[in-house]
Amino acid sequence: MSGTFDVDAGWRLHPQVALRPEPFGALLYHFGTRKLSFLKDRTVVGIVRSLPGHSSARDALRAAGVDDTGRYAAALGVLAESHMLERAS
């Protein structure tokens, strides 16, 4: 994936990614790529966990009460680019 994150698409954690809650936020580990990501913002953790329950990332962002074009959308874009998130089918 390259370019702007599509907030109007549905997203979910990649099936090979585990999310482990931590006091600072969460760890994401991709078993396929062996990549580890630290989520240091609990709002981002909540949004990532809520993605499967929303038809789009925009809906998940709005449900969390945050701007759907700001830094939280950008954080989701980084997770998508690193293959931690994938489009929901």
Side-chain angles (χ1 to χ4, degrees):
M1 179 181 151
S2 179
T4 307
F5 178 71
D6 185 1
V7 294
D8 292 314
W11 293 88
R12 64 179 181 190
L13 278 177
H14 188 283
Q16 290 185 311
V17 172
L19 184 148
R20 185 174 94 183
E22 294 289 340
F24 60 81
L27 293 173
L28 291 177
Y29 181 74
H30 194 300
F31 288 93
T33 64
R34 300 178 144 219
K35 184 167 184 162
L36 180 66
S37 293
F38 295 86
L39 299 182
K40 297 179 184 176
D41 185 315
R42 291 183 181 163
T43 301
V44 173
V45 175
I47 293 166
V48 168
R49 290 179 130 180
S50 76
L51 285 171
H54 295 280
S55 61
S56 70
R58 185 180 311 276
D59 290 345
L61 291 161
R62 287 181 177 169
V66 298
D67 180 16
D68 57 16
T69 60
R71 69 185 183 109
Y72 292 105
L76 294 179
V78 170
L79 292 173
E81 287 178 7
S82 65
H83 305 289
M84 294 293 183
L85 296 178
E86 68 176 13
R87 286 183 187 255
S89 44

